[in-house]
Amino acid sequence: MGSIHHQLTMFWLIIFYMLVLHTHNKGGLFVEGIGCNWGTRAMHPLPPDVTVRLLKDNGFGKVKLFEAEPWVMQALGRSGLEVMLGIPNEFLAPLAASVQAAENWVMQNVSNYISKHGVDIRYVAVGNEPFLKTYKGMFQMTTFPAMQNIQAALIKAGLGRQVKVTVPLNADVYESSTGLPSNGDFRADIHDLMMSIVRFLQESNYPLTINIYPFLSLNADPNFPKEYAFFTPGTSSPIVDGAFTYTNVFDANYDTLIAALEKNGFGSVEVIVGEIGWPTDGDKDATVENARRFNQGLLDRVSQNKGTPRRSTPPDIYIFGLIDEDAKSIQPGNFERHWGMFYYDGTVKYDLLMPDGQILVPAKGVRYLERQWCVLSPTASIADPAITDSVNYACQYSDCTSLGYGSTCNMLDVRSNVSYAFNQYFQSQNQQKGSCGFSNLSVITKTDPSEGTCRFEVMIDTGKHDLTAYISNDAGLFNRGAVWRTLATIVFGLLLWSR
């Protein structure tokens, strides 16, 4: 028999060990100050429970959503992830016009998921870049009233302290007449509106959310110095602005906002970076190498707790995005469907060293359709007049953005181009019988036709995913109930041993 002291020591060691295992099972320690945008504009979305596990396995403790989709919200229940929940722009008008509409929205999408499902909603993001110049003022009259009504609804629901209101804005809401951050101010056409919103945020202790995309700065200007888009100085000449020196466009852009806030008497308002990232396809500068370089530089800043020259406290950031979305609009460019750090199926695009010292890991439990591809028949003539219409049809109903100039499949020959288009359609249609027809120009092959950087996909089976491939929140040896039942058994055994 051991001494009581020895027994107690053993007991606490076992408790510590079990809790460490339990914490590890929950996805490891979350990285402070970093979150991720979870967009769902995909023809075959990764199952939500698999996606939640992917976030947690990679140390993301915060997630930003663009709308309250039940299948996503339920998966986030009791996950430990902090949620910024978005309201689409088309909801702004009814929410602005009626407090009752705001109360109904909060009850259905906030109160319901907090109380019934245990979703940890921290912010409601009202609108999505509603003051973009391209919207031509469409949402300028409704955004602020919608924010006020959502706040009133949260207070009425007893969530006024728990859930904060914010508005995600594009960086085009501010500008500098000289190009220097110190001369930053809000756009003249929305200056008064921005003053009202920022005053509301400051008085309520709410953050302002801003989206900053160095890639878009590079993409929009052929004379933009490429090295200035990244966080490594490279060969770029720094910009000197009084006492501050800028070696990258993010710092300069962010500090233009900070200067605008300071100039108008709101220098203490918290700022969150709601979207920032780099795409991997669909443009000559949208490459895996550039995306890895940019996002690694961004994560290194988080590791170093590094702010900007004008504001030393670093903001929380939400990387855009988690997974590729092959159904997004490509009006801004083909790259819009390729912002993910992970491919459509949750596989890793490139190595990233996270601030917790871990490398990105892929999604677990994903299942795929049969390993087969639809390609141009070897007997088909490339001169067949039906080919053009067939390719156009295939790309109209699937994603062919990787075939564009500077993209990963740009180097394919004509026959492989056609095969890629056929296969994209075939996979988008779940490999259904008849979806590899194309006027008898195509055949199904079991040999992977991928070439070089060009991936011929096999689509995930959204009806099947292996829940046993990882330990979920509510099942397995180390869920809460199992942990405490195991501990109770240990305690009972120790008590028996001590008698």
Side-chain angles (χ1 to χ4, degrees), residues 269-473:
V269 169
E270 179 189 356
V271 175
I272 292 174
V273 178
E275 295 178 25
I276 183 170
W278 199 284
T280 57
D281 208 352
D283 183 83
K284 63 181 179 61
D285 291 314
T287 66
V288 165
E289 294 77 15
N290 285 342
R292 188 209 61 77
R293 182 184 176 192
F294 180 84
N295 283 331
Q296 188 62 66
L298 183 66
L299 291 170
D300 289 347
R301 292 171 64 96
V302 175
S303 301
Q304 298 159 9
N305 200 35
K306 184 177 181 180
T308 61
R310 189 170 283 271
R311 184 176 279 192
S312 59
T313 302
D316 282 354
I317 62 169
Y318 291 80
I319 294 177
F320 191 88
L322 184 66
I323 304 167
D324 283 348
E325 300 173 81
D326 61 358
K328 279 193 73 177
S329 167
I330 58 172
Q331 187 173 1
N334 287 343
F335 53 79
E336 276 299 312
R337 295 179 176 174
H338 304 280
W339 288 95
M341 292 178 289
F342 298 86
Y343 290 107
Y344 70 100
D345 57 354
T347 53
V348 178
K349 287 185 181 180
Y350 46 86
D351 287 339
L352 277 181
L353 182 64
M354 298 295 288
D356 62 358
Q358 296 190 38
I359 298 292
L360 289 184
V361 296
K364 301 179 178 67
V366 181
R367 291 194 175 179
Y368 297 83
L369 300 175
E370 186 177 348
R371 281 185 58 82
Q372 57 183 6
W373 297 263
C374 178
V375 297
L376 181 65
S377 171
T379 61
S381 169
I382 203 65
D384 192 310
I387 282 185
T388 299
D389 287 342
S390 295
V391 169
N392 288 339
Y393 181 84
C395 290
Q396 181 180 354
Y397 295 102
S398 64
D399 177 27
C400 293
T401 54
S402 293
L403 289 173
Y405 169 72
S407 301
T408 54
C409 298
N410 183 227
M411 78 302 186
L412 297 178
D413 62 22
V414 176
R415 297 190 70 87
S416 295
N417 260 275
V418 175
S419 292
Y420 184 89
F422 285 178
N423 185 64
Q424 287 295 94
Y425 179 80
F426 179 59
Q427 303 297 339
S428 74
Q429 299 301 305
N430 297 305
Q431 302 183 1
Q432 291 180 2
K433 186 176 181 180
S435 60
C436 188
F438 298 110
S439 304
N440 296 318
L441 293 169
S442 54
V443 295
I444 293 175
T445 179
K446 302 287 185 179
T447 302
D448 187 351
S450 298
E451 296 181 36
T453 59
C454 185
R455 293 164 36 116
F456 279 62
E457 298 172 354
V458 172
M459 189 48 64
I460 62 174
D461 185 345
T462 54
K464 295 179 181 179
H465 55 284
D466 189 0
L467 290 173
T468 64
Y470 57 83
I471 303 172
S472 70
N473 292 332

Side-chain angles (χ1 to χ4, degrees), residues 92-390:
L92 295 177
L95 291 174
S98 166
V99 175
Q100 185 61 55
E103 290 174 359
N104 292 342
W105 189 91
V106 166
M107 180 176 65
Q108 180 180 347
N109 299 296
V110 182
S111 302
N112 173 51
Y113 288 112
I114 289 175
S115 62
K116 293 183 180 179
H117 300 278
V119 181
D120 186 7
I121 300 174
R122 298 295 182 95
Y123 303 99
V124 172
V126 181
N128 182 31
E129 300 186 337
F131 305 148
L132 269 176
K133 291 179 182 178
T134 53
Y135 290 151
K136 301 184 185 304
M138 186 186 307
F139 305 109
Q140 288 181 18
M141 299 296 292
T142 53
T143 300
F144 185 37
M147 293 173 69
Q148 293 173 304
N149 286 347
I150 288 293
Q151 181 195 46
L154 288 168
I155 292 171
K156 184 174 181 179
L159 298 170
R161 293 181 180 273
Q162 179 179 345
V163 183
K164 296 185 176 185
V165 175
T166 187
V167 55
L169 299 175
N170 186 275
D172 74 350
V173 300
Y174 50 88
E175 56 196 6
S176 170
S177 58
T178 63
L180 296 176
S182 60
N183 288 315
D185 204 352
F186 295 104
R187 263 177 22 217
D189 63 309
I190 57 170
H191 192 277
D192 291 346
L193 174 58
M194 285 302 303
M195 291 303 94
S196 298
I197 289 175
V198 174
R199 184 177 294 108
F200 167 79
L201 295 175
Q202 179 170 271
E203 291 174 351
S204 306
N205 194 29
Y206 294 158
L208 175 64
T209 300
I210 200 73
N211 301 339
I212 300 176
Y213 282 107
F215 169 80
L216 296 181
S217 299
L218 175 64
N219 185 257
D221 182 0
N223 297 315
F224 189 90
K226 183 174 180 179
E227 292 301 316
Y228 194 58
F230 297 93
F231 295 104
T232 48
T235 59
S236 177
S237 299
I239 291 177
V240 178
D241 183 10
F244 302 128
T245 299
Y246 295 92
T247 60
N248 65 81
V249 70
F250 170 80
D251 281 351
N253 192 311
Y254 183 87
D255 275 5
T256 305
L257 169 62
I258 301 304
L261 291 170
E262 292 172 350
K263 180 176 295 182
N264 292 284
F266 301 106
S268 63
V269 169
E270 179 189 356
V271 175
I272 292 174
V273 178
E275 295 178 25
I276 183 170
W278 199 284
T280 57
D281 208 352
D283 183 83
K284 63 181 179 61
D285 291 314
T287 66
V288 165
E289 294 77 15
N290 285 342
R292 188 209 61 77
R293 182 184 176 192
F294 180 84
N295 283 331
Q296 188 62 66
L298 183 66
L299 291 170
D300 289 347
R301 292 171 64 96
V302 175
S303 301
Q304 298 159 9
N305 200 35
K306 184 177 181 180
T308 61
R310 189 170 283 271
R311 184 176 279 192
S312 59
T313 302
D316 282 354
I317 62 169
Y318 291 80
I319 294 177
F320 191 88
L322 184 66
I323 304 167
D324 283 348
E325 300 173 81
D326 61 358
K328 279 193 73 177
S329 167
I330 58 172
Q331 187 173 1
N334 287 343
F335 53 79
E336 276 299 312
R337 295 179 176 174
H338 304 280
W339 288 95
M341 292 178 289
F342 298 86
Y343 290 107
Y344 70 100
D345 57 354
T347 53
V348 178
K349 287 185 181 180
Y350 46 86
D351 287 339
L352 277 181
L353 182 64
M354 298 295 288
D356 62 358
Q358 296 190 38
I359 298 292
L360 289 184
V361 296
K364 301 179 178 67
V366 181
R367 291 194 175 179
Y368 297 83
L369 300 175
E370 186 177 348
R371 281 185 58 82
Q372 57 183 6
W373 297 263
C374 178
V375 297
L376 181 65
S377 171
T379 61
S381 169
I382 203 65
D384 192 310
I387 282 185
T388 299
D389 287 342
S390 295

